[in-house]
Amino acid sequence: MISKQLFAQQALLATGWRQNVLIEWDENGVIQRVTPDAARPADGEVVACIIPGMPNLHSHAFQRAFAGLTEYRHAQQDSFWSWRNLMYAFAARITPEQMERVATWLYAEMLEAGYTSVCEFHYVHHQPDGAPYADPALMCRSLLNAARNTGIGLTLLPVCYQNGGFGGQPPVALQKRFIHSTPQILALWETLLPLCRKQHARLGIAPHSLRAVDPQNLADLVEAVRRMDATAPVHIHIAEQLKEVEDCVAWSGQRPVEWLLDHAQVDAHWCLIHATHMNEREYQQAAATGAVVGLCPTTEGNLGDGTFDYPLWHKHQGRWGIGSDSNSVVSAAEELLMLEYSQRFHLRQRNIGAGDGFPEVATALYLGAVSGGAQASGRQVDGIAVGQSADVVELDDTHHAIASLPSEKVLSGHVFGSSRTSAIRRVWTRGQLRVKDTHHLLHDQALAGFIEMRKELFNAG
């Protein structure tokens, strides 16, 4: 039964921009009909321009608490590894209640920025001394609460973190909040499964990286999760840094992606986060698995990771999506802009992201990121189409970046011409209105909670 309809004068569908599109969804927020070139209904809501909600395929929510606060010289030559020590210091202090406050504000920000779902790669599990909470799922419940209260779609990815480096090196003291044995993380997973299903969240698993989980535990973990849910998303950090590649070669004789493809049954349910440093053979073989590569351009730029070879991945028809990762930037449009500009810097060319049938870079990148992000999330959020969640973003056709533009130019204005303002007016998830300029239920409350949480963290430090 149709419970809601929205008539858009222009809408971005998987095939491109269409005019006079009538979208209808049921009481569960699932799209039942999409009718282009429709007659304008006598009643029902009419909007000028809509695009699909963007899935965010990689987030560490707690890192929003120190966004912008690591931009000072910490070592003679700062890198990801010196930044990681600063990040660990924040992770050592955050409480479950503070985790919920930072995630609530972050998820409200994401919705306001056009992200309608998020894959939360979550590894701060235990008390500061490393002992489990009386409820081992307490930190995860904080994230579930934040997602439920804001209305963002959630794929929860509890992280299995066991070692401090390749070859089973012991974890360092600042990693003690992260550590789980394989039986412990699987017990947590079983606890979380009914909680996620109850609020329409998806549960996946995240072996943190090849340096943090040894081969046997990686195999055991994925096999056990597959028995409980054969389609559960599996996300892993891989080949983010050159040092990681070098250390992996020293340990195994193989590069990280090469090793993973040879030793794990990587398929379309996997998401390879970053995969920045691959050789041509790895690009070809990884793309052939159907796995998604999770690109996080603003974080990769912030951390000095390097540049992903987007044209080579595209050549092999690789799937990809975008994530906000460390959440120093929360903007789907800016991730796409940074992706395109990083390619231009590297290749000294323009309009790298244009795709077959989509000469407009922003449109091609946007549709690619929506489709790959939906696959990585394991949720029905692949654009404005029958059977997908009614996750819809309305653009403000009076905003200076897009006003008076023809439909095929709208995303170009939104991504490349908005000057860090937002052309987003309203956002729906599962058919429910969440954003009306700002999160219409809890923007002010969530912001106040975030500010107080940061004050507490700094006073504690």
Side-chain angles (χ1 to χ4, degrees):
M1 179 182 295
I2 301 299
S3 66
K4 173 72 175 180
Q5 61 181 16
L6 191 66
F7 182 82
Q9 294 170 325
Q10 48 188 349
L12 181 62
L13 308 183
T15 54
W17 287 97
R18 299 296 300 269
Q19 308 300 312
N20 300 321
V21 178
L22 181 64
I23 306 163
E24 300 170 280
W25 58 81
D26 64 18
E27 65 277 5
N28 296 313
V30 177
I31 296 174
Q32 300 298 307
R33 287 195 289 268
V34 178
T35 310
D37 304 315
R40 181 170 176 166
D43 53 5
E45 192 160 10
V46 177
V47 298
C49 180
I50 61 170
I51 58 177
M54 177 65 72
N56 181 339
L57 57 60
H58 191 62
S59 166
H60 305 296
F62 81 93
Q63 293 182 17
R64 185 60 174 160
F66 61 91
L69 303 181
T70 62
E71 312 306 314
Y72 62 92
R73 180 64 61 83
H74 180 70
Q76 185 60 36
Q77 184 174 336
D78 273 332
S79 67
F80 166 85
W81 307 98
S82 57
W83 170 87
R84 189 178 72 161
N85 291 332
L86 298 174
M87 179 270 288
Y88 283 167
F90 279 90
R93 298 201 297 267
I94 194 165
T95 68
E97 191 271 339
Q98 290 168 338
M99 179 71 82
E100 184 169 338
R101 278 191 278 167
V102 67
T104 299
W105 170 243
L106 172 65
Y107 294 165
E109 284 188 286
M110 286 183 183
L111 286 163
E112 292 172 5
Y115 292 118
T116 48
S117 58
V118 59
C119 299
E120 186 60 46
F121 197 104
H122 169 65
Y123 53 84
V124 184
H125 294 290
H126 305 310
Q127 297 180 66
D129 64 359
Y133 289 99
D135 174 7
L138 187 58
M139 279 291 197
C140 290
R141 291 180 192 271
S142 297
L143 296 164
L144 285 163
N145 290 343
R148 183 184 64 248
N149 291 337
T150 57
I152 200 167
L154 178 67
T155 298
L156 182 60
L157 300 163
V159 170
C160 183
Y161 206 122
Q162 299 176 332
N163 305 321
F166 289 101
Q169 297 175 39
V172 300
L174 286 173
Q175 294 170 327
K176 58 191 174 186
R177 298 194 76 175
F178 315 158
I179 305 303
H180 273 119
S181 68
T182 301
Q184 286 173 328
I185 195 72
L186 290 173
L188 174 63
W189 207 88
E190 290 187 77
T191 298
L192 292 171
L193 189 56
L195 299 178
C196 288
R197 287 175 173 168
K198 184 177 181 181
Q199 71 175 64
H200 303 286
R202 190 71 198 271
L203 183 63
I205 193 67
H208 179 274
S209 57
L210 295 183
R211 65 180 185 271
V213 181
D214 65 38
Q216 189 59 58
N217 283 319
L218 174 63
D220 292 346
L221 178 67
V222 174
E223 181 183 359
V225 167
R226 284 278 178 264
R227 286 198 297 267
M228 292 182 276
D229 181 352
T231 63
V234 180
H235 289 219
I236 187 170
H237 289 133
I238 197 156
E240 179 180 5
Q241 285 282 324
L242 283 173
K243 182 180 184 300
E244 178 189 350
V245 176
E246 293 163 357
D247 289 350
C248 188
V249 171
W251 162 66
S252 69
Q254 291 184 290
R255 300 166 59 85
V257 173
E258 178 187 17
W259 187 96
L260 185 69
L261 297 180
D262 280 353
H263 293 85
Q265 295 181 350
V266 177
D267 59 21
H269 302 298
W270 283 67
C271 182
L272 311 183
I273 301 299
H274 305 301
T276 307
H277 300 287
M278 294 191 288
N279 60 29
E280 184 160 4
R281 182 169 177 267
E282 288 172 307
Y283 273 93
Q284 181 178 7
Q285 292 186 335
T289 68
V292 175
V293 160
L295 304 178
C296 308
T298 63
T299 293
E300 290 154 4
N302 181 276
L303 298 180
D305 287 346
T307 306
F308 181 82
D309 192 334
Y310 179 86
L312 185 54
W313 189 244
H314 183 69
K315 171 186 173 182
H316 294 299
Q317 300 181 318
R319 306 277 289 169
W320 64 277
I322 57 170
S324 58
D325 196 351
S326 67
N327 296 301
S328 58
V329 173
V330 184
S331 169
E334 193 161 345
E335 294 296 341
L336 296 178
L337 181 147
M338 181 65 80
L339 172 59
E340 173 66 20
Y341 281 5
S342 70
Q343 301 301 306
R344 295 184 187 190
F345 282 132
H346 183 62
L347 298 171
R348 298 184 298 280
Q349 299 175 19
R350 300 189 71 250
N351 301 323
I352 310 300
D356 299 335
F358 294 105
E360 295 286 346
V361 173
T363 302
L365 291 178
Y366 198 94
L367 289 173
V370 167
S371 186
Q375 179 179 321
S377 73
R379 304 181 70 247
Q380 298 298 108
V381 291
D382 191 0
I384 300 171
V386 172
Q388 304 301 306
S389 178
D391 290 5
V392 179
V393 174
E394 178 193 5
L395 297 180
D396 180 359
D397 65 329
T398 67
H399 188 276
H400 71 268
I402 65 173
S404 78
L405 292 180
S407 57
E408 68 273 11
K409 298 292 185 183
V410 165
L411 271 177
S412 296
H414 177 53
V415 171
F416 295 108
S418 60
S419 304
R420 291 197 171 181
T421 61
S422 176
I424 292 171
R425 175 182 283 161
R426 289 186 295 177
V427 176
W428 291 259
T429 65
R430 298 186 66 242
Q432 298 295 312
L433 182 66
R434 309 297 184 184
V435 170
K436 189 176 180 180
D437 296 322
T438 62
H439 196 290
H440 74 293
L441 293 178
L442 48 68
H443 177 96
D444 292 342
Q445 175 187 343
L447 176 56
F450 173 75
I451 292 170
E452 183 62 25
M453 177 274 307
R454 288 228 292 192
K455 180 180 176 181
E456 292 169 1
L457 278 177
F458 276 94
N459 286 344

